[in-house]
Amino acid sequence: MFAGLPELGIANGEDLKETLTNCTEPLKAIDQFQMENGILLPTLQSALPFLDLHGTPRLEFHQSVFDELREKLMEQVAVIAEGKDEDRYGKLEELLEKSFPLVKMPSIQPVVMQVLKHLPKVPEKKLKMVMADKELYKVCAVEVKRQIWQDNQALFGDEVSPLLKQYIVEKEAALFSSDLSILHNFFSPTPKTRRQGEVVLKLTQMIGKNVKLYDMVLQFLRTLFLRTRNVHYCTLRAELLMSLHDLDISEICSVDPCHKFTWCLDACIREKFVDSKRARELQGFLDGVKKGQEQVLGDLSMILCDPFACNTLVLSIIRNVQELLSQDALPRDSPDLLLLLRMLSLGQGAWDMIDSQVFKEPRLDLEVVTRFLPAMMSVVVDDHTFIVEQKLPSEEKSSLTYPTSLPDAFIRYLQDNRVACEMGLYYVLHIAKLRNRNALQRLLPALVETYNDMAFSDIFLHLLTAHLTLLSDEFGSEEFCSVVFDSFLLTSFSSKENVHRHILRMLLHLHLKVLPSYLETLMQTLEPPKQCSEPLKELHSQLTEKLEAHKKSPTPPDEPTSLDLGLHPVTVPTTSSSSAPTTPV
């Protein structure tokens, strides 16, 4: 416990033991030891007997004086470090040399750690000693650990790895949240709110102003993204940079070539829309990538691959397409739309670019603009034509029925093109948001086969299940249930457990609205297999319990159908007609 005292010429317990062993008068020896090693203040000696009269042990007195002096010394260390004295770090190094032998003594350790913390460059020998001792490494300040980490990537990786795992677990938990609402979904938190998350704050603190550590974290994120294809690592890459931006860490922000692009995109994500002014700014950054610096495209593509960025881009594209329809304009004539597609394409190609190390913007298939988007717009026109037809007087009506098939180009591009598929999926969400049952029944079966099974990804299913709560009353129809479940969701639930879980999440909210005879069959189909995860079993158990509880509860008297599903209120625009909602043109 008192190791290190002899090195400084200070007597310890062993010295006292030796003195008492060899002396003839122990009491005199103790007095002598106290005189030599006590507080060397002449006026104190005459005052100590008063403490004895009050029954205060000498240990208690010396301990209180020691604690007070230690606090004063630690304060003084901070004052010296923050001062303007040119030799301030020299003084601290001198103090470190004197105090370091006592670093294992619990009462002195805080002083040593305070000195280490305030030295911008701790002597390498001392750093190695701290790193080699697990206990010392554990208690030293993050400022000291940064100096250790920057030359020990493996050790830094061991510290960062649990945080990165925790981040992914939190993101995936949010996608399977029990809260099913169009207003409070995965994309609802603002960028600034997301940056207050525990992992982002911890990583920001661990990096501090150290560019080397920042680069290491980015390399970890690129490696993990390549290994897993998990797009949440792209989110963390952007959040980390903007967290450092929030703290004005110019040492890092000024050297990250993606900083201004990410800052501008962050503002767009906050608004959930890319306006013309910001679109031009973003275009300027992309066009400004100089020859020889193409590698920055890898990081820019990763930032655009962030689901929050992708969500903002596609929502902006859908809004843009609506405006083009109202103006009778073609997609290829809109520079803003073409730029949004360029950025979406760059983001969707992030994995391929980083994997191949070929840093070149992927070419956007022009037929996405000239064939897929017009096909998607024709679906809107079909819907509008049918609605107008229904409003005509009976003598003017034709025998027009609502179309059930989709244009070949629309289906083909959903299957073959990543960018087109992303837009198609968000168009389906847009239709659901408008509560357009006819168009939804026409579109959902086409999602069974999509590029890389994107329609069965957690992000899309998280959003779709929330949007379907807006059509809760439609689940009383066998035809609608058949389209949603038989023609889409149930086509892959047995091979994809995530789909199974999302179906159960939705039914937990909508089971009272689903046609009872259909629900009974559905529950048999959704029985979990023997080899399945605990979350799936838990969801099925919750749903089964809810259904059993509903069966046992007395049937309430007939009342007008309530729309309260325990969801957040949604403002619905009123229409003058009672006909089915329509896609605006």
Side-chain angles (χ1 to χ4, degrees), residues 14 22 37 43 115 162 170 247 255 282 286 298 342 374 429 454 475 506 517 525 548 574:
E14 287 300 316
N22 299 326
N37 296 288
T43 53
V115 178
E170 287 171 1
L247 295 170
V255 296
L282 293 167
L286 290 177
R342 176 187 174 188
L429 296 176
M454 285 168 68
F475 282 89
M506 184 170 70
S517 57
T525 308
E548 289 299 323
T574 53

Side-chain angles (χ1 to χ4, degrees), residues 124 127-132 137 144-160 206 210 212-213 216-217 220:
E124 195 173 338
L127 274 183
K128 284 182 177 175
M129 289 169 76
V130 171
M131 186 174 75
Y137 174 76
V144 183
K145 285 179 179 171
R146 284 185 203 129
Q147 296 184 48
I148 294 171
W149 293 332
Q150 68 178 9
D151 296 317
N152 293 273
Q153 187 170 349
L155 183 61
F156 186 52
D158 291 342
E159 292 276 354
V160 168
M206 288 168 80
N210 194 309
K212 202 171 176 183
L213 294 181
M216 279 190 209
V217 174
F220 294 151

Side-chain angles (χ1 to χ4, degrees), residues 535-547:
L536 179 59
K537 287 179 187 172
E538 178 63 27
L539 276 171
H540 190 269
S541 298
Q542 284 177 28
L543 182 56
T544 305
E545 285 168 18
K546 273 198 168 190
L547 292 171

